[in-house]
Amino acid sequence: MIPMPFQMVPAAFLAFYLTANIPLSLGLVWISNPITMPPLFFATYKFGAWLLGTEPVDSFEFTTEWLANGLSVVWQPLYFGSAVTGVILAITGYVTVQVVWRYRVIKKWKARAARRAKLSVQD
């Protein structure tokens, strides 16, 4: 969730060295694509400003002058909000995958046990 150029490179590097799923890591990087970036970064900026207790800037312009001057005001809430949002989403995703995985494994074990019980009754 942290705005940075070439997000796929660190995602692939970290996935490789942390023995994570590389294709999934690269795919998840594209949650923040050119279409979703403006609303995502605006939301994480507002969240970061709220967490830091600062007054959010309401006027954004995509001009060279604003990027040179205005970015110095918004970078801390933006990066802090992005980091906290990323941690929250990572924990939520991890717990969700663990719960779904465990549910599916238990469901398959019960189905297998039911099939075995049915076969042993027939014998």
Side-chain angles (χ1 to χ4, degrees):
M1 293 305 294
I2 295 177
M4 64 185 298
F6 308 109
Q7 299 173 39
M8 293 176 69
V9 174
F13 180 77
L14 288 171
F16 177 76
Y17 282 103
L18 297 173
T19 62
N21 187 322
I22 294 173
L24 181 62
S25 298
L26 294 177
L28 288 174
V29 167
W30 281 94
I31 288 173
S32 60
N33 60 56
I35 295 171
T36 61
M37 272 185 199
L40 278 175
F41 292 159
F42 183 71
T44 58
Y45 166 70
K46 289 280 198 172
F47 183 53
W50 177 74
L51 288 174
L52 294 173
T54 60
E55 189 66 32
V57 175
D58 288 330
S59 63
F60 293 94
E61 297 175 17
F62 286 108
T63 63
T64 309
E65 181 182 336
W66 186 90
L67 288 174
N69 300 324
L71 203 54
S72 64
V73 176
V74 300
W75 77 270
Q76 284 180 324
L78 175 62
Y79 273 82
F80 187 66
S82 295
V84 172
T85 302
V87 169
I88 291 169
L89 290 175
I91 291 170
T92 303
Y94 179 80
V95 170
T96 302
V97 167
Q98 292 298 316
V99 167
V100 170
W101 182 266
R102 190 158 291 165
Y103 171 77
R104 288 183 51 122
V105 167
I106 290 171
K107 186 176 173 183
K108 286 183 179 185
W109 278 16
K110 286 181 180 180
R112 186 181 316 148
R115 281 194 311 268
R116 286 184 180 166
K118 184 178 175 183
L119 287 174
S120 66
V121 169
Q122 291 176 353
D123 289 338

